[in-house]
Amino acid sequence: MSDPVFLRPLAAPDADKGQAVVFGPDQALLLDSGRSLTPFTIAYKTYGTLNANRSNAILICHALTGDQFAASPNPITGKPGWWQTMIGPGKPIDTDRFFVISTNVIGGCMGSSGPAEVNPETGEPYGLSFPLITIRDMVRAQAMLIDHLGIERLFSVIGGSMGGMQALQWAASFPDRVISAMPIACAARHSAQNIAFHEVGRQAVMADPDWHGGAYYGRGTQPSKGLAVARMAAHITYLSEPALQRKFGRNLQNKESVSFLFTPDFQVESYLHHQGMTFVDRFDANSYLYITRAVDYFDLAADHGGVLAEAFRGTKTRFCIISFSSDWLYPTAENKRIAHALNAAAANVSFVDIRTDRGHDSFLLDEPEMFATVRGFLNSVATREGVK
Amino acid sequence: MALRPDLAAIAAMIPEGTSVLDVGCGDGALLEHLVRTKHVDGRGLELSQQNVNACVTRGLSVIQGDADTDLGEYPSQVFDVVILSQTIQATWDPKSVLDHLLRIGRHVVISFPNFGHWRVRLSLLARGRMPQTKTLSNEWYDTPNIHLCTIADFVGLANVCGANIEQALALTPEGTTRAMRADAWIPNLMAEGAIFLLTSDTAGSVI
């Protein structure tokens, strides 16, 4: 195993780049597709201190376009970490008490092996030669990282959206290594509607003339317009109609009347344009293709004969499922379906639906009930496990 | 905070370290007491989302759900004790609920207000209107209690469901409990409520 390296060239030179570990040919990552990835890198960031008996480690799994900078400023955007409200000293995931490991998934573009990263064997970026990956592959790679860090059992695996899928997959794949799991605002399978939205996004990327069949690296260009459109479509699914109404309604942007042109008239249009434009500065278009595909393939029940409860048969893991009432990407009913399957497996499960009109993105926002639930659940598991 | 007398009487029936499902666990007061003092492996099912969120914040394992529709999700004979406290009279299908409880748990503890209490009987006789008492305080048109029964009625249901009555307690207006003969007419007249410990015919074991 070689020393940690960080391959991403985008970051400012003196920025906090996190850590990374390279797994050599003796530790190839075997993928669901039948292919294998070797060598490969997984980038991560830790917060807090691992205790003497290594019992206080919490793995944080990021959402579709998240990264390992959960609780510290993002080196590219300079913005606070995506869960800086949740993770830190005295916060619901208390780094005075827990050792938090936040990883960048494989397929990502913040230092883990992915299509934008250089293939060490060729010296060129992977592009579309990177193999297709699944949520289970992401979790396998994380497990190798956890092994590398010398941690046998995780106190908890926590994540929202795609991160929640990883938490579920962890509990299903490695039941003896996961003491507790908190899947938030997720589903045990990606629905047809969700796949449809992802396909719109992928087609937007691939229709951009600057995409060049995925081989745009080194051409001084990237499919920014396509990726921005993909992000705009996806972003709508992260919000809710009441939230959009409250924020923007049909208000016009810096004008008194409509322009009778196709330039943005409405505030909501400008907002989406902004979301699209800022996204392309920090995310790789090919990574977007690979990761949305991984989420589309996710169907935990299908991996267990179509019976979701079978994925958790005999589990000792304690679960806490959290949903948001206005989430239409992963609605309350999908989350409740997980809770019912866990019941059917006689698992120890809590299920909380938080009333809010802010949609799927609520898990990233200041939601006091979510904070109270996370804190209460972790405290009760800590008491039970004797973690001070 | 002291536990309500009927809940304390239920808690006294639960042995240390057992696994317990509290159906309709409310704000989790009984469940928390059982987890803290009897070290049970406790779970809850509760209709009100607000109550569920409060329970989870307290560190309890509780899910939002409806006794009338969700008990079918639970596998058979996985809990030592299933509790249904002051809830059966508010269910749509009490027989189906009791059948499920006897299937899911090796023991069932169930409490309910006694509609055979003399105040209830007298109120209807004297006023000719649906009785309202301290425990049954709603107007007839907005009560959650849609399947009220007397102790004698409940014993009848328990027989239909093939349950064995292991223990029966009468709840007095003062909040005390005393053992009663479930098939006698005096408790049915005098008890304000009742707590039963049941086992299913096939369960066999005694806690």
Side-chain angles (χ1 to χ4, degrees):
Chain A
M1 210 165 293
S2 33
D3 287 334
V5 292
F6 193 85
L7 300 168
R8 181 73 182 174
L10 270 178
D14 55 351
D16 173 5
K17 292 171 178 174
Q19 301 117 287
V21 54
V22 180
F23 293 95
D26 54 326
Q27 288 176 293
L29 180 64
L30 304 176
L31 303 170
D32 280 345
S33 65
R35 294 176 64 183
S36 63
L37 192 60
T38 182
F40 78 98
T41 307
I42 184 157
Y44 64 102
K45 181 91 184 79
T46 65
Y47 308 94
T49 313
L50 188 62
N51 64 12
N53 55 2
R54 299 171 177 253
S55 63
N56 69 335
I58 293 180
L59 179 69
I60 301 294
C61 303
H62 69 71
L64 192 71
T65 62
D67 51 44
Q68 65 271 42
F69 299 98
S72 48
N74 186 293
I76 294 176
T77 65
K79 288 182 181 166
W82 53 272
W83 242 5
Q84 204 138 344
T85 50
M86 181 74 90
I87 303 165
K91 291 179 182 172
I93 301 172
D94 188 350
T95 49
D96 287 339
R97 184 183 208 181
F98 299 113
F99 176 60
V100 171
I101 308 155
S102 177
T103 77
N104 180 227
V105 297
I106 55 158
C109 52
M110 284 291 278
S112 295
S113 289
E117 302 296 339
V118 171
N119 179 348
E121 290 193 339
T122 64
E124 301 284 324
Y126 281 100
L128 292 196
S129 73
F130 195 77
L132 260 290
I133 49 159
T134 65
I135 298 289
R136 190 157 58 178
D137 295 334
M138 294 174 181
V139 165
R140 277 196 197 106
Q142 287 167 347
M144 290 171 73
L145 172 68
I146 300 305
D147 285 339
H148 172 80
L149 296 175
I151 295 164
E152 177 124 5
R153 296 173 81 203
L154 290 165
F155 178 84
S156 201
V157 181
I158 306 175
S161 199
M162 182 181 86
M165 293 175 172
Q166 293 165 58
L168 287 173
Q169 186 68 62
W170 258 97
S173 294
F174 304 103
D176 299 333
R177 302 189 69 178
V178 182
I179 293 167
S180 70
M182 277 188 120
I184 303 172
C186 73
R189 56 151 191 229
H190 206 55
S191 71
Q193 177 177 288
N194 295 348
I195 295 169
F197 271 108
H198 274 177
E199 179 60 2
V200 169
R202 283 189 295 264
Q203 289 300 325
V205 169
M206 294 189 282
D208 188 318
D210 286 333
W211 182 56
H212 297 296
Y216 51 85
Y217 309 107
R219 289 177 185 249
T221 177
Q222 59 165 334
S224 304
K225 291 194 186 71
L227 184 60
V229 171
R231 178 63 169 186
M232 287 165 72
H235 199 82
I236 300 167
T237 69
Y238 305 154
L239 308 174
S240 69
E241 169 60 9
L244 281 176
Q245 272 299 333
R246 192 181 59 239
K247 244 174 155 171
F248 309 110
R250 292 180 53 85
N251 296 341
L252 301 179
Q253 181 75 35
N254 302 328
K255 55 184 74 168
E256 296 300 314
S257 56
V258 297
S259 63
F260 296 99
L261 294 168
F262 288 114
T263 50
D265 278 343
F266 297 101
Q267 283 179 8
V268 67
E269 293 174 318
S270 300
Y271 170 75
L272 284 181
H273 283 236
H274 173 75
Q275 290 297 333
M277 279 180 332
T278 53
F279 181 61
V280 300
D281 291 338
R282 69 172 179 89
F283 214 81
D284 173 63
N286 283 338
S287 261
Y288 195 82
L289 302 181
Y290 277 84
I291 295 178
T292 55
R293 204 70 184 134
V295 175
D296 288 351
Y297 283 160
F298 187 64
D299 184 350
L300 200 48
D303 296 341
H304 295 84
V307 181
L308 186 55
E310 285 296 316
F312 306 109
R313 181 203 275 270
T315 184
K316 296 277 184 291
T317 304
R318 297 167 80 84
F319 292 85
C320 182
I321 315 282
I322 301 177
S323 63
F324 298 95
S325 58
S326 51
D327 185 346
W328 61 285
L329 191 62
Y330 300 117
T332 295
E334 291 274 352
N335 289 273
K336 200 167 182 184
R337 189 171 156 258
I338 302 167
H340 281 165
L342 287 164
N343 263 338
N348 189 316
V349 55
S350 293
F351 168 61
V352 171
D353 181 53
I354 290 169
R355 299 231 176 279
T356 171
D357 72 353
R358 299 200 284 184
H360 178 67
D361 262 359
S362 297
F363 79 94
L364 296 170
L365 304 175
D366 182 19
E367 284 287 347
E369 272 193 277
M370 173 176 68
F371 295 156
T373 302
V374 171
R375 195 187 288 277
F377 177 72
L378 292 179
N379 281 345
S380 73
V381 179
T383 304
R384 202 182 165 84
E385 295 293 318
V387 173
K388 296 280 188 303
Chain B
M1 209 172 69
L3 214 51
R4 226 171 57 202
D6 58 322
L7 298 182
I10 291 174
M13 288 179 170
I14 315 285
E16 282 268 335
T18 46
S19 61
V20 174
L21 173 67
D22 188 355
V23 178
C25 63
D27 65 1
L30 174 62
L31 203 55
E32 187 170 39
H33 176 82
L34 291 172
V35 169
R36 289 235 171 114
T37 66
K38 297 247 170 140
H39 310 105
V40 305
D41 178 12
R43 322 276 176 83
L45 177 72
E46 166 61 30
L47 194 55
S48 145
Q49 193 61 62
Q50 206 182 345
N51 275 341
V52 172
N53 297 6
C55 286
V56 177
T57 302
R58 289 162 92 148
L60 300 170
S61 298
V62 175
I63 74 165
Q64 197 273 338
D66 186 337
D68 269 310
T69 55
D70 292 359
L71 290 176
E73 307 282 347
Y74 289 83
S76 298
Q77 300 287 298
V78 284
F79 289 98
D80 295 318
V81 189
V82 181
I83 299 170
L84 188 71
S85 156
Q86 305 292 340
T87 300
I88 194 167
Q89 75 279 0
T91 63
W92 284 102
D93 190 348
K95 178 175 182 304
S96 160
V97 168
L98 187 56
D99 279 335
H100 273 305
L101 298 185
L102 289 162
R103 177 184 62 78
I104 296 166
R106 286 175 270 276
H107 302 265
V108 174
V109 175
I110 187 161
S111 72
F112 57 89
N114 175 25
F115 211 64
H117 186 247
W118 67 269
R119 278 186 202 278
V120 176
R121 299 192 195 189
L122 192 64
S123 169
L124 183 59
L125 187 69
R127 296 169 62 229
R129 300 183 62 181
M130 287 302 283
Q132 279 180 278
T133 64
K134 201 169 66 199
T135 42
L136 301 169
S137 56
N138 304 83
E139 289 284 358
W140 68 273
Y141 50 79
D142 73 346
T143 177
N145 302 322
I146 52 179
H147 280 119
L148 287 157
C149 68
T150 70
I151 290 172
D153 288 331
F154 181 78
V155 169
L157 176 64
N159 286 334
V160 169
C161 293
N164 304 313
I165 297 170
E166 305 284 339
Q167 202 181 338
L169 296 180
L171 275 168
T172 69
E174 295 78 39
T176 58
T177 56
R178 73 169 71 97
M180 68 174 177
R181 269 192 54 200
D183 55 354
W185 67 273
I186 289 187
N188 197 24
L189 185 67
M190 301 305 289
E192 210 157 68
I195 305 173
F196 281 81
L197 173 65
L198 309 175
T199 54
S200 61
D201 253 347
T202 50
S205 69
V206 175
I207 43 180

